[in-house]
């Protein structure tokens, strides 16, 4: 298959793209993409093994909505799976395309807001990793995405979602939580991220405002601001959501991802015939 550049994916075979993402989608700028690539360049072996044990290998091509920079997509291609990626962020798709080229891999990439997902292919399975599904903060947006993914699935029609419930959901901080992190890029420049996180338990939302700064020695050469809003679902809520979107055989599973700041789990379901 031809490996599409992110800009080429806009008009490929009738796919639809919103030039500006809706509030239900997370748009990542170039500095944020660089930071997250350096901070988390590749999925862990445990996470890859978890997906590798569940995704159908020989039933056809798999779809990864919200695929980002290819943290999961590229290693799964290396493992022999056929996977297409979709993301709304052009910097992340550019990063993914660069990773594919570096790994001598080739696949389809699409730039779309997944609330308007419309691809020219059908898939045997789909998965959203890393809790990215929780960037869809409204119920209507979440249902729309689940319905659009289901419309692209054929037998066996498996969907996997990785989710988490932050500890702050039960023990919200009394004030905004501030965190400062740094990463070093390959060219020797430093990227800093200062984030301020506010938890709204009543609305089940976490609002994180981040400022990214690229520094050469002590001089700031680039700056970027980003606001991300995330929600969370418990097991009963996600089961109901999937059922309302027409999925069956919904099962809650233990996920390979662990952490001290959240309770991680996964859900599997199948698209109804």
């Amino acid at each position: 298959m031809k490996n599409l550049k992110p800009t080429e994916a806009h008009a490929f075979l009738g796919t639809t793209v919103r030039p500006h993402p809706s509030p239900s989608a997370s748009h990542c700028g170039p500095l944020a993409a660089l930071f997250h690539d350096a901070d988390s360049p590749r999925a862990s072996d445990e996470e890859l093994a978890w997906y590798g044990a569940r995704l159908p290998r020989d039933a056809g091509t798999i779809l990864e909505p919200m695929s980002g920079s290819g943290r999961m997509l590229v290693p799964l291609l290396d493992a022999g799976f056929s996977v297409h990626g979709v993301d709304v962020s052009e910097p992340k798709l550019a990063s993914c395309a660069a990773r594919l080229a570096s790994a001598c891999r080739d696949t389809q990439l699409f730039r779309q807001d997944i609330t308007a997902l419309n691809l020219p292919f059908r898939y045997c399975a789909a998965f959203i990793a890393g809790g990215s599904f929780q960037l869809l903060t409204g119920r209507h947006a979440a249902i729309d995405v689940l319905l659009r993914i289901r419309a692209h699935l054929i037998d066996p029609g498996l969907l996997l979602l990785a989710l988490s419930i932050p500890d702050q959901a039960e023990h919200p901080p009394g004030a905004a939580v501030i965190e400062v992190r740094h990463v070093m890029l390959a060219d020797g420049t430093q990227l800093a991220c200062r984030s301020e996180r506010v938890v709204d338990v009543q609305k089940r939302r976490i609002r994180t405002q981040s400022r990214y700064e690229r520094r050469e020695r002590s001089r700031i050469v680039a700056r970027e601001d980003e606001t991300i809003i995330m929600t969370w679902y418990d097991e009963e809520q996600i089961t109901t959501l999937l059922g309302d979107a027409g999925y069956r055989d919904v099962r809650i599973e233990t996920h390979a991802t662990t952490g001290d700041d959240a309770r991680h789990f996964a859900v599997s379901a199948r698209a109804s015939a």
Side-chain angles (χ1 to χ4, degrees), residues 199-251:
V199 181
D200 187 330
V201 174
Q202 185 175 0
K203 292 183 178 179
R204 290 187 297 112
R205 292 187 178 182
I206 297 177
R207 180 186 181 92
T208 303
Q209 293 180 292
S210 300
R211 168 159 289 185
Y212 298 89
E213 293 180 339
R214 184 168 187 165
R215 298 172 180 172
E216 293 179 358
R217 299 179 180 176
S218 59
R219 186 167 63 95
I220 297 173
V221 295
R223 178 176 287 162
E224 181 178 291
D225 291 326
E226 175 189 66
T227 299
I228 290 178
I229 300 176
M230 295 191 71
T231 189
W232 62 86
Y233 303 92
D234 62 25
E235 290 84 345
E236 182 179 353
Q237 290 166 336
I238 194 63
T239 297
T240 300
L241 199 66
L242 285 162
D244 290 345
Y247 289 81
R248 57 184 172 82
D249 300 336
V250 180
R251 294 191 303 166

Side-chain angles (χ1 to χ4, degrees), residues 151-186:
H152 287 75
L153 292 177
I154 57 175
D155 190 63
L158 176 67
L159 175 65
L160 298 173
L161 301 176
L163 304 168
S164 66
I165 300 176
D167 289 344
Q168 294 166 341
E170 295 185 1
H171 308 287
V177 177
I178 296 174
E179 181 181 20
V180 179
R181 293 182 293 159
H182 299 84
V183 297
M184 190 68 69
L185 302 182

Side-chain angles (χ1 to χ4, degrees), residues 14-199:
T15 58
T16 57
V17 177
R18 294 180 183 179
H20 301 286
S22 74
S24 64
S26 174
H27 185 273
C28 181
L31 289 187
L34 281 173
F35 186 93
H36 294 301
D37 284 356
D39 189 53
S40 181
R42 186 180 186 276
S44 69
D45 290 342
E46 293 78 12
E47 189 177 6
L48 289 168
W50 189 92
Y51 285 99
R54 289 161 176 80
L55 291 170
R57 185 179 292 272
D58 301 318
T61 299
I62 296 162
L63 178 65
E64 185 184 5
M66 308 178 85
S67 55
S69 297
R71 183 185 70 91
M72 287 289 305
L73 185 146
V74 176
L76 285 174
L77 290 173
D78 287 339
F81 290 92
S82 174
V83 189
H84 290 178
V86 180
D87 204 273
V88 74
S89 169
E90 190 162 354
K92 282 192 173 184
L93 283 176
S95 175
C96 186
R99 289 190 188 195
L100 287 168
S102 178
C104 297
R105 296 292 176 186
D106 192 29
T107 195
Q108 302 280 12
L109 299 178
F110 301 92
R111 182 173 182 250
Q112 289 191 12
D113 179 344
I114 62 167
T115 60
L117 187 69
N118 180 19
L119 303 179
F121 300 104
R122 295 297 175 263
Y123 300 92
C124 67
F127 70 95
I128 300 180
S132 294
F133 182 77
Q134 293 172 227
L135 292 170
L136 303 163
T137 55
R139 174 180 170 82
H140 292 303
I143 288 285
D144 282 348
V145 166
L146 291 173
L147 288 171
R148 287 183 176 271
I149 292 174
R150 184 165 69 86
H152 287 75
L153 292 177
I154 57 175
D155 190 63
L158 176 67
L159 175 65
L160 298 173
L161 301 176
L163 304 168
S164 66
I165 300 176
D167 289 344
Q168 294 166 341
E170 295 185 1
H171 308 287
V177 177
I178 296 174
E179 181 181 20
V180 179
R181 293 182 293 159
H182 299 84
V183 297
M184 190 68 69
L185 302 182
D187 63 2
T189 60
Q190 186 185 75
L191 268 180
C193 174
R194 182 189 185 277
S195 60
E196 184 173 314
R197 188 181 310 114
V198 177
V199 181

Side-chain angles (χ1 to χ4, degrees), residues 248-270:
R248 57 184 172 82
D249 300 336
V250 180
R251 294 191 303 166
I252 303 299
E253 300 191 28
T254 301
H255 196 260
T257 302
T258 59
D260 297 331
D261 59 347
R263 176 168 65 83
H264 297 267
F265 66 98
V267 59
S268 67
R270 295 191 182 274

